[in-house]
Amino acid sequence: MKKILFACCFIFALTALRAQEMASLFTAMPDQYIPQLENAWRKDLVDLYNSGKEAKLKNTMEGYSTLKKLTTDYLLLQVTDNSTMEIKRLPLVNNTYIICVVNTVFGPAADSRVAFFTTDWKSLDATDLYTPATTDWFFREDADRKSDEFLFAASWLDIQLIQYSLSEDNFTMKATFTTPQYLGKEEREKVAPFLKTEPRIKTREKTQLNR
């Protein structure tokens, strides 16, 4: 009976330790990467979340930040009313990890920035880790790119706005082309026939993010 109890306690302790991995990364994040929330406030958000309470605190922008999801390797933070931050811990070889951070601003259309870091928050070169989506990815394969209609519609897409989102459950990144949301109704209707309706999913292997 004592052995069973010890084993249960060990498993519980290990689970609790693993659950703290993302929380520790989040609280250790340098303030320069999230100036809206000081280190102590991030710790308070984690404590509120883990206690089952609403994890919402006033930030330095005189608004509120809300910790919406926290797991072993994933975090979703509503930084301000019109911005979010997602953090994902990604495995490399030899049981090492890197961190992917997606910051998204919701203006007339959502637009994201993707960055990668070591687990002690040293910046990594993103070009070695994933291929950014481009407008060309979202055109239909059967679109006649030489037609006057296509060329006219494509001229409206000179601003590239893409929303990235990370999966809580696996190592995929969804890329959604949001430039059409920036356009007026008439322009959106002109470009719609040439665009795919589904976002692109980028899957990640142990060494890189692929298309």
Side-chain angles (χ1 to χ4, degrees), residues 51 54 80 90 146:
S51 68
E54 183 183 24
T80 66
L90 303 172
K146 295 181 180 180

Side-chain angles (χ1 to χ4, degrees), residues 16-209:
L17 178 62
R18 286 176 58 82
Q20 290 300 311
E21 290 170 349
M22 177 52 70
S24 298
L25 289 171
F26 177 55
T27 55
M29 176 186 282
D31 291 346
Q32 70 190 76
Y33 298 130
I34 185 167
Q36 299 89 348
L37 287 172
E38 297 175 0
N39 172 269
W41 296 355
R42 278 176 266 140
K43 290 180 180 178
D44 289 342
L45 281 175
V46 170
D47 290 342
L48 287 169
Y49 186 93
N50 288 334
S51 68
K53 299 177 182 177
E54 183 183 24
K56 183 176 181 179
L57 291 175
K58 195 167 186 178
N59 57 44
T60 59
M61 304 292 290
E62 298 302 317
Y64 288 88
S65 297
T66 304
L67 181 57
K68 291 183 170 291
K69 189 70 180 181
L70 177 63
T71 70
T72 302
D73 57 13
Y74 175 81
L75 178 146
L76 172 60
L77 177 72
Q78 185 77 42
V79 183
T80 66
D81 288 344
N82 63 352
S83 66
T84 62
M85 172 183 284
E86 285 184 288
I87 306 176
K88 183 80 175 184
R89 194 178 63 137
L90 303 172
L92 296 177
V93 295
N94 300 324
N95 295 318
T96 57
Y97 296 88
I98 60 172
I99 305 166
C100 178
V101 178
V102 176
N103 285 292
T104 301
V105 175
F106 299 86
D111 189 39
S112 300
R113 294 292 178 269
V114 180
F116 292 88
F117 302 88
T118 64
T119 52
D120 56 355
W121 292 105
K122 291 183 173 60
S123 181
L124 295 171
D125 185 357
T127 59
D128 295 331
L129 297 165
Y130 92 121
T131 303
T134 65
T135 300
D136 191 62
W137 284 26
F138 301 96
F139 288 129
R140 294 168 57 98
E141 283 83 359
D142 59 356
D144 181 0
R145 302 194 179 202
K146 295 181 180 180
S147 69
D148 291 339
E149 292 81 2
F150 176 87
L151 294 174
F152 179 72
S155 69
W156 291 101
L157 303 174
D158 55 338
I159 298 176
Q160 182 171 282
L161 302 174
I162 295 173
Q163 179 182 1
Y164 291 100
S165 57
L166 298 169
S167 171
E168 172 190 343
D169 303 315
N170 54 50
F171 304 122
T172 61
M173 178 188 290
K174 181 170 70 174
T176 303
F177 188 49
T178 57
T179 299
Q181 300 172 22
Y182 181 81
L183 304 177
K185 182 176 182 294
E186 182 179 348
E187 290 78 19
R188 285 199 302 271
E189 291 175 349
K190 283 183 170 61
V191 303
F194 302 102
L195 296 174
K196 298 174 182 177
T197 57
E198 298 296 324
R200 291 290 300 267
I201 304 295
K202 298 154 68 70
T203 60
R204 182 186 182 277
E205 305 296 338
K206 285 268 185 168
T207 54
Q208 63 181 352
L209 285 168

